[in-house]
Each structure stands twice: as C-alpha cells, then as structure tokens.
Amino acid sequence: MLKVTHAKSEPMLAAMREASDIAVGVLEMIGSYVRPGVTTATLDRLCHDHIVDHGGVPACVGYLGYRHATCISVNEVVCHGVPDDRTLTDGDVLNIDVVVQRKGMHGDTSAMYVAGTASNEAARLMRVTQESLYLGILEVRAGKTLGDVGAAIQAHARTHGYSVVRDFCGHGIGAAMHEPPQVVHFGQRGTGVHLMPGMTFTIEPMLNAGGCDVEALDDGWTVVTRDRSLSAQWEHTVLVTTEGCEVLTLRPSEGMDWKALKTSR
Ligand code: MF3
Ligand code: CO
Ligand code: CO
C-alpha cells in the first residue's frame, strides 16, 4: 500500500487559506477584463498587481526561470502559455493559472474564460472539463486513493469523447509549489496513494477535443496539443479532511450546485 503523509499543520493550513484566498480574488477580478482586443500580457500584469496589492507573492515569477505571474493558455495551448502581446479575438477560450505564495505557503488555481462568445464546441469542452474536476474532487476523502480521483476524471472525459492529457498532472502543494505526490488525471480505482487528513494537493485536469498527445513550443514553456485541437483546464487546491475535502480555492461565484453532479450522472 502506498502511503504519503505530508500532513500540513494548522499554521501551515492557515497560510495556505490566505494564499488561496488571494488567488481566488485574482480569478474573480480578471474575468471582466477578458475581451477581444486585450493582450495576455495586460491580463498578466493585472493579476500580478492584484496579488502584490493583497499581500501575496506571485510565486511563478522566477520559478525555473519563468518571468510572469500567470500562465495564460489560449485555445490549442494545453498549459504553461506565456503571456505576451498577442491580442485576444472573439471566440478565444483561455485558461488563466495563478499561484500565490503567502507566509511561505502556496495556493494554485486556474479557470477558463472566453473573449466574446465561445463556439458551442468550445463551451462544451470547457463545461465537461470543469465537471471532470468536480467529479475528481468528489472522490477526495480519507480512505480513497488518487486512483479513484484519476478514474473519475478519465471516465467523464471518455463519456463525452474527449482525451485526457497524460504528460502533465496535479501535485502536492504547501511550502513548495510542487510537492509529491503526482496527481494524474487518469487511473484505476483503488490504486495509488491513499488519501489521509491534512494532505494538500491540486487537481487540474486538461482535456483535449482531439488526441491526448502534446508538444512543447520552442519557447520552452508553451505546451500545445499535437493535433492543434482545443484544450481546456480547470484547477483547484484541495485539503483532505476527516469528513471529505475542503476546496481551498473555491470561488464564491462557483456555487455548490456541483455537489449534485455525483448523483445526476
Ligand atoms: N500553475 C502551474 C501548475 O498548475 C505551474 C506553473 S509553473 C510556471 O502547476 F513556472 F509556469 F509558472
Ligand atoms: Co496552476
Ligand atoms: Co498546479
């Protein structure tokens, strides 16, 4: 049986809640700025300033040489899109991913946005990807395994004809942005790391409209679908509790209706 403890202390969790609250504020704030004509560099600057103004540290800046507060991944970009002077156009769908450090601890979350109006196809991919995140979260409680989380995500993607990216995964998080264990978004029930109270990790499924293969661009960061099909991603930082799980990066606007997903599907 695989066991990983990494249980966070209460003071560590308190700092993670503060970091996560700032990251939530970023994702809430940025929505009204996403529209045709804005550049991803402008969006990144707004996010950066929000973090600093609220007492956080933009943890991605300087991480492995990365130079921005966010990753902004547009359309066929799977993850790690680098903010630049590209102007968004009507129908672009994009993931904004932000990591905040506060009092030495991290919160990591991302959401999808639309510039103008999304195609039906893009809207469906975004919705199914978000549902897959929620179905993964609903597996999180002491006694379950990371295999249960991955299996729930993979099953939902497959039902809707989408592939799950296998080359990037969620991760433990705490004093470091990326800690063990790896949280893959596929797998078999009852396998892998056993969940225990006090563990904190991200779940961040990437689903593609086409195949699961990805490739990195020459900038060394941007990851795109190999077939250039659309990709979507949503991410939360979660804490395993004795009752189940606390979503540290839950946004007020998300509501709790998704808890019904489990019984409706
Ligand atoms: N936020 C990403 C994640 O979900 C990590 C970005 S690392 C960076 O793990 F250097 F690109 F910012
Ligand atoms: Co992230
Ligand atoms: Co992450």
Side-chain angles (χ1 to χ4, degrees), residues 49-143:
D49 292 350
H50 182 100
I51 294 167
V52 172
D53 291 347
H54 289 77
V57 176
C60 293
V61 177
Y63 183 83
L64 300 175
Y66 195 74
R67 300 168 60 84
H68 309 273
T70 62
C71 297
I72 302 185
S73 302
V74 184
N75 297 334
E76 75 281 2
V77 180
V78 173
C79 62
H80 302 168
V82 180
D84 63 10
D85 291 332
R86 166 191 190 138
T87 297
L88 296 180
T89 62
D90 186 41
D92 281 344
V93 295
L94 51 146
N95 174 277
I96 301 181
D97 190 343
V98 61
V99 189
V100 173
Q101 188 202 111
R102 164 98 176 151
K103 297 178 180 169
M105 301 298 287
H106 293 81
D108 182 4
T109 185
S110 78
M112 296 297 296
Y113 300 85
V114 183
T117 309
S119 68
N120 289 340
E121 179 198 9
R124 179 171 170 275
L125 174 64
M126 291 194 294
R127 175 179 62 79
V128 171
T129 305
Q130 188 176 30
E131 288 169 354
S132 80
L133 168 61
Y134 292 152
L135 288 167
I137 290 171
L138 288 167
E139 296 293 325
V140 176
R141 63 173 175 273

